[in-house]
Amino acid sequence: MALVNYAVTDRVAVITIDNPPVNALSPAVWDGIDQAVQRAVADREADAIVLIGAGSTFIAGADIKVFDTLKTKADSFARSAGTHALLRRMEDATRPLVAAIHGNALGGGLEVAQACHFRVATKDAKVGQPEVLLGIIPGAGGTQRLPRLAGAKMALEMATDGKPVPAPKAHAAGIIDQVVDGDLLAGAIVFAKAKAARGEIRKSREIPIPPDAAAAALAAADAVRASLRKTARGLRAPFAAVDAIEAGLRHGFDKGSERERELFAECVVSTESKALRHLFFAEREVAKVPDIPKDTPTREIKRAAVVGAGTMGGGIAMTYANAGIPVLLKDVDQAALDRGLATIRANYGVTMSKGKMTEEQVEKTMGLITPTTSYDGFDRVDIVVEAVFENMELKKATFAELGKVTRADCILASNSSTLDIDEFAKASGRPAQVVGHHFFSPANVMKLLEIVRGRETSKEVIATSLKLAKKLGKVGVVVGNCFGFVANRMLAYYMREAYLLLEEGASVEQIDRVLTEFGMPVGPFGMQDIAGIDVGARIRQYLASIGQSRAEGPQSAVPDRLFAMGRYGQKTGAGWYKYDAPGSRNRTPDPLIDQLAREEAAKRGVTRREVRDEEIIERITTALANEGARVLEDGYATRAGDIDVIYAYGFGFPRHTGGPMFYAETVGLDTVLARVKAYRARFGDYWQPAPLIERLVAEGRGLYGEPALA
Ligand code: T1G
């Protein structure tokens, strides 16, 4: 089959794009469409033209991989002239040209549809301009045609938030001309023939924008910019999209198109776009585990159980219920269950207050959660997620029980954040069924699921976990069973540097500010006050009991002193900050922390000094990248992109940096290596360069299997 097929039906030329899996616009597809439209215009057998996608969707956009071939702004600017000219040729077709949309018409796909004279769609189709999610802007006329079809306000919204719009809403806005019930192609042919009978052609680029609407739109553009300054910190693309739309409003279609091409060219070669495009593919790569073939058998998860109704257990139960999977929620007594269910109900109450769920939906979903204080019914579930207190003995006892009360093929998953899955596997008596499912708090919100592979975890259990992650709306990443797995193993180095910088003279507020300005949703100290200082303290205690520690190098005593004072963070009303009351989020700096830092610095003979903001970022990101490289070297993560996905989805590491490993690559692995060596000389031998980084720098290669980023 060709990429673009042509046939005439009932005097309508039907052009079918067939480029699986999403009909992406590769250069060959662009050319195919161009030739097919020109063929239809000259075809005496055709009075009208329909453009449709084969398979499950219309065109999901330009082929994102092609952007890596655009090396300079000038190159991109030059090449986009061809695309714009092609779309104008389509628009100048002398026969009615109708786009028939099902599935998704996104990015270039919607832009192709906008260059058609009309658009019809199925009810469940979606249209959108998601380019900003890739650090670029609509680059095929979308910033100029969309305002003319849908009005500038809607165009500004779509081009800056990148969200898909359902067909009925797009129809109401004027983007879609008709929602087709029944067979899309048949409906499109009828629609096209009717247009041909009336000789009706409408070129989007010629739709006028009334002066008063343009004035209102220009005001709207400024308002959008003001809002983006809060929501799109550190990003360029959303602002560029506004600039392109504004140029068209002020100077007309042609000048606006030229400005769009300039801005697209600027964005497509930016680090922001390379980073976001990297994550787009990385978050799809994670599902590909080298020794787990795509056709590995999987089990259907129809019933689940969660042991432990605490914060995590409750959130996990919600995750299953939200996916429509009935779930038993077990705790030791009714009081614990009642607390757990009250938290769940409160969480749904927040969702409902935001209008994301109706009361009926909440009741129906909560109805899927069955509280219990016994193991009754555990013999009928397909998976159990253990979410008891992070204590090895308690977890081993729980797995021993689960091994007795569940079916032989029931998957036994642990939500442990750091402990040894193989220990649980041994205790269960069924190691092949045991796996780690490490959710991130709040479990019903955070998308990351670390799938921790034990020594004996079966391939079927891994494959089932990956499939289940998708069903739960999570991004499942398979990781190895080292202490802390990948996320928390690396986080130990992130926190070590934060603590040491604090003792060296930086303040809690400065470190948190610098990391949030970098793009983290919250700084290390604010994060600990949310997660609980006691969680880390107890893990350190456990490690000390088995003669281990989280990260090499000096361990600050400040967090343990806070723990000893009962200052666990928000939940106790004081931690790294003071809070209005236990559970409050209103925080104020506490001079006590500075005093503790001074005392501990003195004990370690550290001379306090002023710490520059840049040093905070450099120390923390270098520590992350160096440890990430060791994780890769040790084989606990499959690829650098997996680590990027873990940090983007697990900790909100700013997506426009591509993740800690991609960020290291853009800083330069040679620079990262030099920093590690400088820190070793300055702070001590615990700063050891990761051999992988040393090797890649020596060979001039990058972390992603090709020469370092140009
Ligand atoms: N280019 C290349 N590959 C793509 C692709 C694209 N646009 N979209 C999807 N894929 C691959 C994806 O990597 C995966 O590959 C497979 O298709 C299935 O994808 C000029 C400049 C459409 C909602 O941003 O949002 O147009 O892993 O797993 O869950 O102005 O794909 O199987 O090897 O995501 O059903 C704008 C991106 C581009 C849309 C379907 N368009 N895609 O989701 O499948 S820029 C987008 C998506 C542009 C113009 C601008 C989703 C989807 P593999 P999938 P899905």
Side-chain angles (χ1 to χ4, degrees):
M1 284 287 268
L3 287 172
V4 178
N5 296 293
Y6 182 94
V8 177
T9 307
D10 191 8
R11 298 197 59 74
V12 173
V14 177
I15 300 171
T16 305
I17 297 139
D18 190 7
N19 185 24
V22 296
N23 289 327
L25 287 161
S26 62
V29 172
W30 277 115
D31 289 344
I33 292 171
D34 189 21
Q35 290 158 26
V37 170
Q38 298 317 312
R39 176 178 170 185
V41 165
D43 191 333
R44 295 179 186 288
E45 299 303 311
D47 304 325
I49 312 162
V50 165
L51 188 63
I52 194 167
S56 63
T57 181
F58 187 67
I59 303 167
D63 183 338
I64 300 169
K65 298 186 187 74
V66 170
F67 302 140
D68 293 340
T69 66
L70 301 174
K71 296 298 182 194
T72 65
K73 274 169 59 173
D75 177 21
S76 169
F77 183 76
R79 282 168 58 171
S80 62
T83 307
H84 281 245
L86 186 158
L87 291 161
R88 292 178 80 110
R89 282 195 295 277
M90 284 178 64
E91 207 166 35
D92 291 340
T94 50
R95 313 273 169 75
L97 173 54
V98 178
I101 299 168
H102 69 304
N104 291 291
L106 300 173
L110 181 55
E111 290 168 302
V112 165
Q114 291 174 64
C116 294
H117 302 136
F118 306 99
R119 288 146 297 280
V120 299
T122 57
K123 192 166 185 302
D124 59 358
K126 291 194 176 80
V127 302
Q129 302 285 180
E131 289 86 346
V132 289
L133 306 181
L134 299 167
I136 46 182
I137 68 168
T143 64
Q144 305 305 310
R145 289 189 172 92
L146 198 54
R148 285 163 172 74
L149 286 168
K153 200 164 177 309
M154 176 101 174
L156 282 164
E157 190 182 311
M158 289 177 66
T160 54
D161 71 18
K163 290 183 184 145
V165 174
K169 185 176 173 188
H171 179 222
I175 301 169
I176 303 288
D177 297 291
Q178 187 183 82
V179 175
V180 172
D181 293 328
D183 182 79
L184 174 63
L185 180 56
I189 287 172
V190 167
F191 183 95
K193 288 174 72 71
K195 293 300 180 187
R198 293 198 293 276
E200 201 180 329
I201 280 175
R202 187 187 60 184
K203 299 181 182 180
S204 310
R205 70 171 188 266
E206 291 176 356
I207 298 173
I209 297 182
D212 57 327
L218 290 171
D222 287 336
V224 167
R225 283 193 184 94
S227 145
L228 286 174
R229 276 191 276 278
K230 296 192 200 85
T231 59
R233 265 181 321 131
L235 297 180
R236 168 79 183 104
F239 295 91
V242 178
D243 295 347
I245 290 172
E246 184 178 57
L249 294 171
R250 289 189 187 286
H251 310 299
F253 184 89
D254 294 346
K255 283 269 181 228
S257 295
E258 189 177 346
R259 186 66 185 125
E260 175 192 286
R261 290 174 49 215
E262 287 166 357
L263 289 162
F264 176 84
E266 180 189 313
C267 291
V268 78
V269 298
S270 70
T271 300
E272 173 186 330
S273 183
K274 288 175 187 168
L276 288 167
R277 295 181 339 239
H278 156 67
L279 275 179
F280 174 86
F281 290 113
E283 62 202 24
R284 288 159 175 83
E285 277 294 296
V286 296
K288 297 168 189 165
V289 182
D291 69 333
I292 309 277
K294 221 169 182 175
D295 60 359
T296 302
T298 57
R299 288 179 218 154
E300 197 180 351
I301 303 296
K302 288 183 284 197
R303 289 175 174 281
V306 173
V307 179
T311 311
M312 290 307 286
I316 295 166
M318 288 175 70
T319 301
Y320 275 89
N322 294 343
I325 300 173
V327 54
L328 298 173
L329 177 60
K330 179 188 179 298
D331 212 311
V332 289
D333 57 41
Q334 196 56 44
L337 273 182
D338 292 346
R339 280 195 303 276
L341 285 168
T343 305
I344 290 171
R345 181 162 291 284
N347 286 338
Y348 280 125
V350 170
T351 306
M352 210 161 46
S353 65
K354 290 177 182 170
K356 291 184 179 169
M357 282 177 89
T358 63
E359 183 147 9
E360 185 194 353
Q361 286 169 328
V362 167
E363 292 314 318
K364 186 163 171 279
T365 307
M366 283 209 69
L368 291 172
I369 301 173
T370 305
T372 174
T373 54
S374 81
Y375 281 117
D376 291 353
F378 274 59
D379 58 343
R380 289 202 307 280
V381 300
D382 306 306
I383 187 169
V384 180
V385 184
E386 167 275 311
V388 302
F389 206 62
E390 194 72 354
N391 171 286
M392 178 56 88
E393 293 320 308
L394 177 59
K395 287 184 183 292
K396 282 165 68 173
T398 305
F399 271 88
E401 276 295 308
L402 292 174
K404 293 180 197 132
V405 300
T406 56
R407 287 194 329 256
D409 67 343
C410 174
I411 294 176
L412 305 178
S414 170
N415 174 56
S416 173
S417 60
T418 51
L419 299 177
D420 185 349
I421 299 296
D422 291 335
E423 287 294 317
F424 310 152
K426 222 181 297 172
S428 74
R430 295 219 303 276
Q433 310 306 328
V434 174
V435 64
H437 282 187
H438 175 212
F439 290 82
F440 283 70
S441 182
N444 52 307
V445 173
M446 296 304 280
K447 286 190 69 159
L448 179 64
L449 179 67
E450 272 189 320
I451 298 169
V452 188
R453 189 170 187 174
R455 207 181 3 261
E456 298 180 63
T457 306
S458 76
K459 292 189 177 187
E460 189 186 10
V461 166
I462 296 292
T464 303
S465 299
L466 283 164
K467 190 174 160 193
L468 175 63
K470 268 202 168 184
K471 181 164 175 61
L472 296 176
K474 302 294 182 186
V475 176
V477 187
V478 178
V479 296
N481 178 37
C482 56
F483 192 88
F485 317 136
V486 172
N488 285 330
R489 168 170 162 177
M490 291 171 61
L491 189 70
Y493 292 79
Y494 177 103
M495 293 311 300
R496 180 192 75 191
E497 290 310 299
Y499 296 146
L500 295 179
L501 285 157
L502 179 69
E503 290 192 10
E504 290 166 32
S507 69
V508 164
E509 305 79 60
Q510 179 191 10
I511 294 168
D512 277 358
R513 170 182 56 75
V514 167
L515 268 300
T516 46
E517 284 170 358
F518 177 72
M520 297 297 287
V522 63
F525 298 104
M527 177 171 67
Q528 270 222 339
D529 271 3
I530 295 166
I533 290 172
D534 51 321
V535 174
R538 289 198 177 91
I539 288 172
R540 282 193 297 278
Q541 283 175 342
Y542 167 71
L543 282 170
S545 74
I546 56 173
Q548 285 189 27
S549 77
R550 295 296 297 272
E552 300 83 5
Q555 307 298 320
S556 167
V558 178
D560 286 337
R561 291 184 64 181
L562 292 176
F563 175 60
M565 295 172 186
R567 290 173 65 114
Y568 298 169
Q570 282 181 7
K571 59 186 168 187
T572 58
W576 292 104
Y577 295 89
K578 274 190 300 196
Y579 296 86
D580 297 355
S584 161
R585 293 183 184 177
N586 297 333
R587 70 189 196 192
T588 47
D590 187 339
L592 169 70
I593 304 301
D594 202 42
Q595 180 194 325
L596 294 177
R598 288 177 186 283
E599 288 169 9
E600 292 309 319
K603 284 180 195 167
R604 287 197 306 115
V606 168
T607 309
R608 298 222 347 139
R609 60 189 168 83
E610 191 177 328
V611 178
R612 290 175 304 108
D613 289 359
E614 295 73 20
E615 180 180 355
I616 294 170
I617 286 298
E618 288 166 8
R619 288 263 294 276
I620 285 181
T621 55
T622 301
L624 269 180
N626 196 56
E627 190 54 22
R630 296 202 314 192
V631 162
L632 278 171
E633 188 110 53
D634 296 349
Y636 289 111
T638 306
R639 51 186 85 82
D642 287 25
I643 296 175
D644 292 326
V645 169
I646 285 170
Y647 265 73
Y649 280 114
F651 298 104
F653 200 90
R655 291 179 64 84
H656 65 273
T657 69
M661 308 313 284
F662 193 88
Y663 178 72
E665 186 108 326
T666 52
V667 164
L669 292 185
D670 51 352
T671 302
V672 170
L673 179 57
R675 283 179 184 161
V676 174
K677 289 179 174 173
Y679 297 153
R680 180 172 56 185
R682 186 175 165 199
F683 297 111
D685 284 347
Y686 63 90
W687 275 99
Q688 281 298 331
L692 173 63
I693 292 183
E694 289 187 302
R695 201 165 54 249
L696 291 174
V697 170
E699 296 164 5
R701 287 191 310 116
L703 285 161
Y704 299 89
E706 65 244 1
L709 273 173

